[in-house]
Amino acid sequence: MAEKDSAVPAAETSEVPYAMVGRGLDPPAAASAFAPNLELGDQKLILSWLEKSRAEDGSIENRLQFSTLQSREWSAPVTIAEGPNFFANWADFPKVIEAAEGTLFAHWLAKTAEDTYAYSVNLARSDDGGITWNSLGILNDDSTPTEHGFVSYVRERTGIRAFWLDGRATLQKGGSMSLRTAYVNETVERSELLDDKVCDCCSTDAAIVAGRPAVVFRDRSANEIRDISIIRSVTSRLGGRSDSESEGTGGSEWSDSTPVSADGWEIAGCPVNGPEMAAHGDLTAVAWFTASGDQPQVAVTFSSNGGVDFGAPLVIDAAGPLGRVDVVMDGADGAVVSWLATGDDKAEVSLQRVSVDGRVSTPLVVARTSASRAAGVPRLVRFGELLYIAWVETGNAAGSRLRVREIELSSLTLGEPRSS
């Protein structure tokens, strides 16, 4: 296991074929790095990513790396795990999250059988700031050779609560992908079933809403309507479950799945384009992509009562966006949404600020990349009055590389209210 070295000054982007806004803070990642994720820790940013390497026998291995940004300096990257059995995917990417007292948790995906989508979620924990990592085993408490992934987290007490898509029921005739949750600390507790039929490969996202965990995801009805739903904890207890609680949807612990927006998007396959959620107290924002009526759109909606009811969606891009959204609260009465818009033959990494009363900023194009899957999913966090966004720049002669930029929140000036 590699150890942390001295801090590495973040590189200012220089040789690029276009002007990018904000300050470039490129991480110390290899030129072919991919699948980035950005999280906010205690007074620092946590960036994780995957890199490929060639083993002595000529086989390709993957390694999960992470680095932290403090005072605009990146720590030397640390390898959390590596091996030939990784399931490495542009949309279903690993994450590192900091819980109480600096404890770090990480997950990555590893193959469990020859089938392409047979993989499980591996977990590790670090109690020394990421210098060394101890395996916690598998998040999903089954051994079926099926898909398990698209993990999201919230912090609970000294540990974390994880949500993920679980394919154990797909081995049965007519079985569907499900949504499950488990509390993780020094061990992984038994999982709970939240929804027994969800979209197969759209990412989930979770947040503490009104003091309780909640998760958003792309649901799936019997007639293939795949709109965004939310499930909320309906008790104040955080962390763990009692022996008396039984597995199942609803009940005293979790709400039923309820729609965030009734788009009515009927689609026979998964669009690989999940929702994102952010919250501050009772105020909750959810952003998502839909192509209902064959009209691709990125939209956002707010709830002022802890995710129970959401207002009418505000469409922020209806000009054929790719989606791949993220969202953060703006610290006032609104949120900032990131997504991949389309422009000429490129995709545009875009930001827009939106308030509860319908005011919006002019969309800000942060950078341009390709419209391919290799461009990944841009990740956004807010730290005080600064925004940080990470993405994969690809589609040019120089090859692909990870980018991070720092943008002042004040550069997104709200205008007059407009209707959805």
Side-chain angles (χ1 to χ4, degrees):
M1 181 67 65
E3 294 188 357
K4 287 185 176 179
D5 296 322
S6 59
V8 180
E12 273 280 5
T13 304
S14 55
E15 297 180 5
V16 293
Y18 52 86
M20 292 198 290
V21 300
R23 177 191 292 267
L25 299 172
D26 290 343
S32 59
F34 65 106
N37 186 64
L38 193 60
E39 299 284 346
L40 183 62
D42 182 17
Q43 300 300 309
K44 61 180 174 288
L45 302 185
I46 302 171
L47 179 70
S48 58
W49 66 90
L50 290 175
E51 293 181 1
K52 291 185 181 295
S53 62
R54 189 172 295 277
E56 292 182 359
D57 62 2
S59 63
I60 299 297
E61 294 188 345
N62 286 278
R63 59 175 173 263
L64 171 58
Q65 303 270 92
F66 95 103
S67 176
T68 60
L69 181 72
Q70 291 180 284
S71 301
R72 297 194 174 113
E73 289 190 334
W74 290 103
S75 64
V78 171
T79 299
I80 298 173
E82 57 187 333
N85 66 333
F86 272 52
F87 180 80
N89 183 271
W90 67 276
D92 194 357
F93 41 83
K95 295 178 180 177
V96 178
I97 185 174
E98 184 179 52
E101 299 177 351
T103 302
L104 296 173
F105 293 88
H107 91 268
W108 65 96
L109 309 175
K111 295 293 299 277
T112 56
E114 290 299 319
D115 186 79
T116 302
Y117 296 106
Y119 58 89
S120 285
V121 180
N122 287 257
L123 286 172
R125 170 180 166 142
S126 174
D127 294 302
D128 57 13
I131 298 173
T132 60
W133 291 83
N134 299 311
S135 173
L136 291 177
I138 304 301
L139 173 62
N140 47 286
D141 50 0
D142 70 300
S143 58
T144 62
T146 59
E147 180 180 356
H148 307 80
F150 296 99
V151 185
S152 57
Y153 304 106
V154 293
R155 298 170 180 86
E156 282 196 11
R157 293 185 179 178
T158 58
I160 57 173
R161 174 165 294 281
F163 301 86
W164 71 95
L165 301 188
D166 192 290
R168 68 185 69 183
T170 60
L171 289 180
Q172 307 167 9
K173 184 177 180 180
S176 301
M177 185 67 69
S178 64
L179 176 69
R180 301 185 79 91
T181 184
Y183 177 71
V184 180
N185 197 347
E186 294 181 354
T187 59
V188 182
E189 293 197 2
R190 184 165 57 94
S191 70
E192 299 173 80
L193 176 66
L194 298 182
D195 191 310
D196 62 4
K197 188 179 181 66
V198 302
C199 198
D200 299 81
C201 45
C202 278
S203 57
T204 68
D205 195 29
I208 296 296
V209 177
R212 300 169 182 172
V215 59
V216 288
F217 57 99
R218 192 174 295 281
D219 218 335
R220 181 182 178 188
S221 72
N223 56 350
E224 299 293 14
I225 301 299
R226 304 198 188 206
D227 290 343
I228 306 305
S229 289
I230 186 170
I231 292 177
R232 300 168 294 103
S233 171
V234 293
T235 69
S236 59
R237 182 180 60 84
L238 292 178
R241 64 183 278 178
S242 67
D243 292 337
S244 64
E245 291 176 300
S246 61
E247 179 182 291
T249 58
S252 61
E253 175 69 15
W254 300 97
S255 71
D256 291 330
S257 302
T258 56
V260 171
S261 177
D263 301 328
W265 188 14
E266 181 180 347
I267 179 173
C270 178
V272 196
N273 228 319
E276 293 288 324
M277 175 170 58
H280 179 71
D282 288 343
L283 183 61
T284 309
V286 177
W288 72 99
F289 170 87
T290 181
S292 178
D294 294 325
Q295 296 179 335
Q297 297 179 343
V298 168
V300 64
T301 184
F302 291 95
S303 168
S304 59
N305 61 358
V308 177
D309 303 294
F310 286 87
L314 180 68
V315 176
I316 62 174
D317 188 347
L322 297 176
R324 308 186 200 178
V325 304
D326 205 353
V327 64
V328 296
M329 304 308 291
D330 68 0
D333 60 352
V336 178
V337 180
S338 67
W339 76 100
L340 282 183
T342 54
D344 298 327
D345 60 344
K346 294 280 189 178
E348 296 179 341
V349 181
S350 301
L351 295 175
Q352 188 167 37
R353 189 173 182 177
V354 185
S355 70
V356 173
D357 61 9
R359 292 177 296 150
V360 299
S361 68
T362 300
L364 178 65
V365 176
V366 176
R368 293 178 176 84
T369 184
S370 76
S372 69
R373 290 184 171 185
V377 183
R379 310 305 295 154
L380 178 68
V381 299
R382 182 181 69 87
F383 182 41
E385 295 303 307
L386 297 172
L387 300 168
Y388 294 87
I389 188 163
W391 76 98
V392 180
E393 181 184 272
T394 187
N396 54 55
S400 66
R401 63 179 298 182
L402 295 193
R403 300 285 198 191
V404 174
R405 295 197 76 79
E406 175 190 271
I407 299 165
E408 293 183 0
L409 180 61
S410 60
S411 65
L412 299 169
T413 305
L414 292 170
E416 295 299 319
R418 66 178 174 88
S419 59
S420 59

Coordinates of all heavy atoms in Angstrom, one line a residue, residues 362-408:
T362 N -27.6 32.9 -16.0 CA -27.3 32.5 -17.3 C -26.4 31.2 -17.3 O -25.5 31.1 -16.4 CB -26.4 33.6 -18.0 OG1 -27.2 34.8 -18.1 CG2 -26.0 33.2 -19.4
P363 N -26.7 30.2 -18.1 CA -25.9 29.0 -18.1 C -24.4 29.3 -18.3 O -24.1 30.1 -19.2 CB -26.5 28.2 -19.2 CG -27.9 28.7 -19.4 CD -27.8 30.1 -19.1
L364 N -23.6 28.7 -17.5 CA -22.1 28.9 -17.6 C -21.5 27.7 -18.2 O -21.6 26.6 -17.6 CB -21.6 29.3 -16.2 CG -20.1 29.5 -16.1 CD1 -19.6 30.7 -16.9 CD2 -19.7 29.6 -14.7
V365 N -20.8 27.8 -19.3 CA -20.0 26.7 -19.9 C -18.7 26.7 -19.3 O -17.8 27.6 -19.5 CB -19.9 26.8 -21.4 CG1 -19.1 25.7 -22.0 CG2 -21.3 26.8 -22.0
V366 N -18.4 25.6 -18.5 CA -17.1 25.5 -17.8 C -16.0 25.0 -18.7 O -14.9 25.5 -18.7 CB -17.3 24.5 -16.6 CG1 -15.9 24.3 -15.9 CG2 -18.3 25.1 -15.6
A367 N -16.4 24.0 -19.5 CA -15.4 23.4 -20.4 C -16.1 22.6 -21.5 O -17.3 22.5 -21.5 CB -14.5 22.5 -19.6
R368 N -15.3 22.1 -22.4 CA -15.9 21.3 -23.5 C -15.1 19.9 -23.5 O -14.0 19.8 -23.2 CB -15.8 21.9 -24.8 CG -16.7 23.2 -25.0 CD -16.5 23.9 -26.3 NE -17.4 25.0 -26.4 CZ -17.3 26.2 -26.0 NH1 -16.1 26.5 -25.3 NH2 -18.2 27.1 -26.1
T369 N -15.9 18.9 -23.8 CA -15.3 17.5 -23.8 C -16.1 16.8 -24.9 O -16.9 17.4 -25.6 CB -15.4 16.8 -22.5 OG1 -14.8 15.6 -22.5 CG2 -16.9 16.6 -22.0
S370 N -15.8 15.5 -25.1 CA -16.6 14.7 -26.1 C -17.9 14.4 -25.6 O -18.2 14.4 -24.4 CB -15.8 13.5 -26.5 OG -15.9 12.5 -25.5
A371 N -18.8 13.9 -26.5 CA -20.1 13.5 -26.1 C -20.2 12.0 -25.8 O -21.2 11.4 -25.7 CB -21.1 13.9 -27.1
S372 N -19.0 11.3 -25.8 CA -18.9 9.9 -25.7 C -19.1 9.5 -24.2 O -19.0 10.3 -23.3 CB -17.6 9.4 -26.2 OG -16.5 9.8 -25.4
R373 N -19.2 8.2 -24.0 CA -19.2 7.7 -22.6 C -17.9 7.9 -21.9 O -17.9 8.0 -20.7 CB -19.6 6.2 -22.6 CG -21.0 5.9 -23.0 CD -21.3 4.4 -22.9 NE -22.7 4.1 -23.1 CZ -23.2 2.9 -23.0 NH1 -22.5 1.8 -22.7 NH2 -24.5 2.7 -23.2
A374 N -16.8 8.0 -22.7 CA -15.5 8.2 -22.1 C -15.4 9.5 -21.3 O -14.6 9.7 -20.4 CB -14.4 8.2 -23.1
A375 N -16.4 10.5 -21.6 CA -16.4 11.7 -20.9 C -16.9 11.6 -19.5 O -16.7 12.5 -18.6 CB -17.2 12.8 -21.6
G376 N -17.5 10.5 -19.1 CA -17.9 10.2 -17.8 C -19.1 11.1 -17.3 O -19.8 11.7 -18.1
V377 N -19.1 11.3 -16.0 CA -20.2 12.1 -15.4 C -19.5 13.2 -14.5 O -18.9 12.9 -13.5 CB -21.1 11.2 -14.4 CG1 -22.2 12.0 -13.8 CG2 -21.6 10.0 -15.2
P378 N -19.7 14.5 -14.9 CA -19.1 15.5 -14.1 C -19.6 15.5 -12.7 O -20.8 15.3 -12.4 CB -19.5 16.8 -14.9 CG -19.7 16.4 -16.3 CD -20.3 15.0 -16.1
R379 N -18.7 15.8 -11.7 CA -19.1 15.8 -10.3 C -18.9 17.2 -9.7 O -17.8 17.9 -10.0 CB -18.2 14.8 -9.5 CG -18.2 13.4 -10.2 CD -19.6 12.8 -10.4 NE -20.3 12.6 -9.2 CZ -21.6 12.6 -9.1 NH1 -22.4 12.9 -10.1 NH2 -22.2 12.3 -7.9
L380 N -19.8 17.6 -8.9 CA -19.8 19.0 -8.4 C -20.0 19.0 -6.9 O -20.7 18.3 -6.3 CB -21.1 19.7 -9.0 CG -21.3 21.2 -8.6 CD1 -20.3 22.1 -9.1 CD2 -22.7 21.6 -9.1
V381 N -19.2 19.9 -6.2 CA -19.3 20.2 -4.8 C -19.2 21.7 -4.5 O -18.7 22.4 -5.4 CB -18.3 19.4 -3.9 CG1 -18.4 17.9 -4.1 CG2 -16.9 19.9 -4.2
R382 N -19.8 22.1 -3.4 CA -19.7 23.5 -3.0 C -19.0 23.6 -1.7 O -19.3 22.8 -0.7 CB -21.1 24.2 -2.9 CG -21.0 25.7 -2.4 CD -22.3 26.3 -2.3 NE -23.1 25.8 -1.2 CZ -23.0 26.3 0.1 NH1 -22.2 27.3 0.4 NH2 -23.7 25.8 1.0
F383 N -18.0 24.4 -1.6 CA -17.2 24.7 -0.3 C -17.3 26.1 0.0 O -16.5 26.9 -0.6 CB -15.8 24.2 -0.5 CG -15.0 24.3 0.8 CD1 -15.5 24.0 2.0 CD2 -13.7 24.7 0.7 CE1 -14.8 24.1 3.2 CE2 -12.9 24.8 1.9 CZ -13.4 24.5 3.1
G384 N -18.2 26.6 0.9 CA -18.4 28.0 1.1 C -18.9 28.7 -0.1 O -19.9 28.3 -0.7
E385 N -18.1 29.7 -0.5 CA -18.5 30.5 -1.7 C -17.9 30.1 -3.0 O -17.8 30.8 -4.0 CB -18.2 32.0 -1.4 CG -19.0 32.6 -0.3 CD -20.5 32.5 -0.5 OE1 -21.0 32.9 -1.6 OE2 -21.2 31.9 0.4
L386 N -17.3 28.8 -3.0 CA -16.6 28.3 -4.1 C -17.3 27.0 -4.6 O -17.7 26.2 -3.8 CB -15.2 28.1 -3.8 CG -14.3 29.3 -3.5 CD1 -12.9 28.9 -3.0 CD2 -14.2 30.2 -4.6
L387 N -17.3 26.8 -5.9 CA -17.8 25.6 -6.5 C -16.6 24.9 -7.1 O -15.6 25.5 -7.6 CB -18.8 25.9 -7.6 CG -20.0 26.6 -7.2 CD1 -20.8 27.0 -8.5 CD2 -20.9 25.7 -6.4
Y388 N -16.6 23.5 -7.0 CA -15.5 22.7 -7.6 C -16.2 21.7 -8.5 O -17.1 21.0 -8.0 CB -14.7 22.1 -6.5 CG -13.9 23.0 -5.7 CD1 -14.4 23.6 -4.5 CD2 -12.6 23.4 -6.0 CE1 -13.7 24.5 -3.8 CE2 -11.8 24.3 -5.3 CZ -12.4 24.9 -4.2 OH -11.7 25.8 -3.4
I389 N -15.7 21.5 -9.7 CA -16.3 20.6 -10.6 C -15.1 19.7 -11.2 O -14.1 20.3 -11.6 CB -17.1 21.2 -11.7 CG1 -17.9 20.2 -12.5 CG2 -16.3 22.2 -12.5 CD1 -19.0 20.7 -13.3
A390 N -15.4 18.4 -11.2 CA -14.4 17.5 -11.8 C -15.0 16.8 -13.0 O -16.2 16.4 -13.0 CB -14.0 16.5 -10.8
W391 N -14.3 16.5 -14.0 CA -14.8 15.8 -15.2 C -13.6 15.3 -16.0 O -12.4 15.5 -15.7 CB -15.6 16.8 -16.1 CG -14.8 17.8 -16.9 CD1 -14.4 17.6 -18.3 CD2 -14.2 19.0 -16.5 NE1 -13.6 18.7 -18.7 CE2 -13.5 19.6 -17.6 CE3 -14.2 19.7 -15.3 CZ2 -12.8 20.8 -17.5 CZ3 -13.5 20.9 -15.2 CH2 -12.8 21.4 -16.3
V392 N -13.9 14.5 -17.0 CA -12.9 13.9 -17.9 C -12.9 14.7 -19.2 O -13.9 14.7 -19.9 CB -13.2 12.4 -18.2 CG1 -12.1 11.8 -19.1 CG2 -13.2 11.6 -16.9
E393 N -11.8 15.2 -19.5 CA -11.6 15.9 -20.8 C -11.1 14.9 -21.8 O -10.1 14.3 -21.6 CB -10.6 17.1 -20.7 CG -10.5 17.8 -22.0 CD -9.4 18.9 -21.9 OE1 -9.8 20.0 -21.5 OE2 -8.2 18.6 -22.2
T394 N -11.9 14.7 -22.9 CA -11.5 13.7 -23.9 C -11.9 14.2 -25.2 O -12.6 15.2 -25.3 CB -12.1 12.3 -23.5 OG1 -11.6 11.3 -24.4 CG2 -13.6 12.4 -23.6
G395 N -11.6 13.5 -26.3 CA -12.0 13.8 -27.6 C -11.1 14.8 -28.3 O -11.5 15.4 -29.3
N396 N -9.8 14.9 -27.8 CA -8.8 15.7 -28.6 C -7.5 14.9 -28.7 O -7.4 13.8 -28.2 CB -8.6 17.0 -27.8 CG -8.2 16.8 -26.4 OD1 -7.2 16.1 -26.1 ND2 -8.9 17.4 -25.4
A397 N -6.6 15.5 -29.5 CA -5.4 14.7 -29.9 C -4.5 14.4 -28.7 O -3.7 13.5 -28.7 CB -4.6 15.6 -30.9
A398 N -4.7 15.2 -27.6 CA -3.8 15.0 -26.4 C -4.3 13.8 -25.6 O -3.6 13.5 -24.6 CB -3.8 16.3 -25.6
G399 N -5.4 13.2 -25.9 CA -5.9 12.1 -25.1 C -6.8 12.6 -24.0 O -7.1 13.8 -23.9
S400 N -7.1 11.8 -23.1 CA -8.0 12.1 -22.0 C -7.2 12.5 -20.7 O -6.1 12.0 -20.5 CB -9.0 11.0 -21.7 OG -8.4 9.9 -21.2
R401 N -7.8 13.3 -19.9 CA -7.2 13.6 -18.6 C -8.3 14.1 -17.6 O -9.3 14.7 -18.1 CB -6.1 14.6 -18.7 CG -6.5 16.0 -19.2 CD -5.3 16.9 -19.3 NE -4.7 17.1 -18.0 CZ -3.7 18.0 -17.8 NH1 -3.1 18.6 -18.8 NH2 -3.2 18.1 -16.6
L402 N -8.1 14.0 -16.3 CA -9.0 14.5 -15.4 C -8.8 16.0 -15.2 O -7.6 16.5 -15.1 CB -8.8 13.8 -14.0 CG -9.1 12.3 -13.9 CD1 -9.2 11.9 -12.5 CD2 -10.4 12.0 -14.6
R403 N -9.9 16.7 -15.1 CA -9.8 18.2 -14.8 C -10.6 18.5 -13.6 O -11.6 17.9 -13.3 CB -10.4 19.0 -16.0 CG -9.8 18.8 -17.3 CD -8.4 19.5 -17.4 NE -8.0 19.7 -18.8 CZ -6.8 20.1 -19.2 NH1 -5.9 20.4 -18.2 NH2 -6.5 20.2 -20.4
V404 N -10.1 19.5 -12.8 CA -10.9 20.1 -11.7 C -10.8 21.6 -11.8 O -9.7 22.1 -12.1 CB -10.4 19.6 -10.3 CG1 -11.1 20.3 -9.2 CG2 -10.5 18.1 -10.2
R405 N -11.9 22.3 -11.7 CA -11.8 23.7 -11.7 C -12.6 24.3 -10.5 O -13.6 23.7 -10.0 CB -12.4 24.3 -13.0 CG -11.6 23.9 -14.2 CD -11.9 24.8 -15.4 NE -11.3 26.1 -15.3 CZ -10.0 26.3 -15.6 NH1 -9.2 25.4 -15.9 NH2 -9.6 27.6 -15.5
E406 N -12.1 25.4 -10.0 CA -12.7 26.2 -8.9 C -13.4 27.4 -9.5 O -12.7 28.2 -10.3 CB -11.6 26.6 -8.0 CG -12.0 27.5 -6.8 CD -10.8 28.0 -6.1 OE1 -10.4 27.4 -5.1 OE2 -10.3 29.1 -6.4
I407 N -14.6 27.6 -9.2 CA -15.4 28.7 -9.7 C -16.1 29.4 -8.6 O -16.7 28.8 -7.7 CB -16.5 28.1 -10.7 CG1 -15.8 27.4 -11.9 CG2 -17.4 29.2 -11.3 CD1 -16.7 26.5 -12.7
E408 N -16.1 30.7 -8.6 CA -16.8 31.5 -7.6 C -18.3 31.4 -7.8 O -18.8 31.6 -8.9 CB -16.3 32.9 -7.7 CG -14.9 33.1 -7.3 CD -14.5 34.6 -7.2 OE1 -15.3 35.4 -7.5 OE2 -13.3 34.9 -6.9

